[in-house]
Amino acid sequence: ALAGGAAFLGPGAGGGAALSNPNGNDGRFLDFGGGGLTFAAVDGITFAAFVRHDSFQSWGTILSLRDDGGSNWIQLYNLGTTRRARWLIRNGWTTKLLTTPAYDDGGDASLAFFPPAGQWAHVAAVATDAGVYTLYRDGATREGWTTSDDTVAPNPSALTYTYAALGRYDYYSSGYFDGALRDVRLYARALGHNQMAIVHWIKRATKNSYSSGHTASSISLDMHFHAATSAILKSPDNPTSSPSIR
């Protein structure tokens, strides 16, 4: 369970397994292993990570959490093979989708949520306990990247998401993500706009090393889906503090 401090996932790091993608593109995904992942989104939920797509695979899944019965889901993935994002929350069979707007590759490509293949961006997906959904890229949101529905919020109960993975839709073993993730964090609360200052802090601290082929020596996670060795998922007691930089 995530409850302050950090849960380390990956080979030799306390549970979970980085496994080969069977679809032949030499990608990797990280299965949370054992009984999955248990946590309670009492104050909402925030998922954040540096994301780099190497290609936009069909429904490439970054985060996938699903309970055994299928009545509770939390997912973040690219829509089809596009650079649009979809943030999905299901609570007791009622589902809410936030999908970023369509964009014209020949026109205003800035409307695309994910940057072009090969480029890093810091991505955050937030859902509050009041049913407000917001997506951020590099610490900012924009029109069409937020919505609300007071009938659907993340489930506040302590649930076990039996099918839990980074890099694929775990239940159906599909939707493989082709790319890399760094500094993956899952908070059992919804971070506000001001708290997204964390994003800018991380960006300043890491942007130079990312562009120069950074390794795992200086940040809390370095998970490449082409060479996965370990990953970390964090839920600190004080998520407004500076990120952990080693």
Side-chain angles (χ1 to χ4, degrees), residues 159-184:
L159 295 176
T160 297
Y161 294 89
T162 307
Y163 301 96
L166 300 172
R168 77 167 184 178
Y169 181 22
D170 207 42
Y171 181 74
Y172 287 112
S173 300
S174 63
Y176 287 92
F177 171 77
D178 180 26
L181 302 180
R182 286 181 170 138
D183 199 31
V184 177

Side-chain angles (χ1 to χ4, degrees), residues 5-240:
F8 290 83
L9 307 169
L19 304 171
S20 294
N21 177 346
N23 285 3
N25 69 354
D26 195 33
R28 299 285 186 113
F29 67 96
L30 187 134
D31 189 279
F32 284 56
L37 180 69
T38 300
F39 71 96
V42 176
D43 297 313
I45 187 172
T46 300
F47 173 81
F50 281 99
V51 177
R52 187 196 73 216
H53 285 81
D54 291 334
S55 67
F56 287 88
Q57 298 294 307
S58 182
W59 310 102
T61 302
I62 296 169
L63 171 71
S64 176
L65 306 177
R66 181 189 188 275
D67 69 1
D68 192 45
S71 60
N72 291 277
W73 294 0
I74 300 171
Q75 288 185 296
L76 178 64
Y77 51 92
N78 59 264
L79 186 71
T81 57
T82 74
R83 290 163 51 201
R84 298 170 68 186
R86 174 167 285 174
W87 177 222
L88 180 155
I89 300 288
R90 174 181 285 186
N91 181 347
W93 298 105
T94 304
T95 303
K96 180 65 181 179
L97 302 172
L98 169 57
T99 305
T100 57
Y103 62 92
D104 179 1
D105 281 325
D108 188 5
S110 69
L111 291 174
F113 181 76
F114 295 111
Q119 297 184 20
W120 285 98
H122 190 274
V123 168
V126 180
T128 73
D129 57 0
V132 179
Y133 301 81
T134 308
L135 289 166
Y136 295 86
R137 186 181 69 200
D138 293 328
T141 189
R142 60 175 297 168
E143 184 178 358
W145 293 4
T146 187
T147 189
S148 62
D149 184 341
D150 60 8
T151 66
V152 185
N155 197 315
S157 302
L159 295 176
T160 297
Y161 294 89
T162 307
Y163 301 96
L166 300 172
R168 77 167 184 178
Y169 181 22
D170 207 42
Y171 181 74
Y172 287 112
S173 300
S174 63
Y176 287 92
F177 171 77
D178 180 26
L181 302 180
R182 286 181 170 138
D183 199 31
V184 177
R185 295 162 186 258
L186 183 64
Y187 302 102
R189 61 174 292 187
L191 299 186
H193 295 295
N194 292 336
Q195 292 167 318
M196 284 300 164
I198 296 174
V199 174
H200 298 293
W201 196 94
I202 298 174
K203 188 70 173 177
R204 287 196 303 270
T206 59
K207 64 179 180 179
N208 293 333
S209 56
Y210 276 11
S211 62
S212 62
H214 175 74
T215 66
S217 60
S218 65
I219 59 172
S220 58
L221 175 147
D222 186 35
M223 183 173 182
H224 293 269
F225 282 85
H226 293 296
T229 56
S230 66
I232 181 175
L233 200 63
K234 285 199 166 186
S235 180
D237 292 321
N238 181 11
T240 61

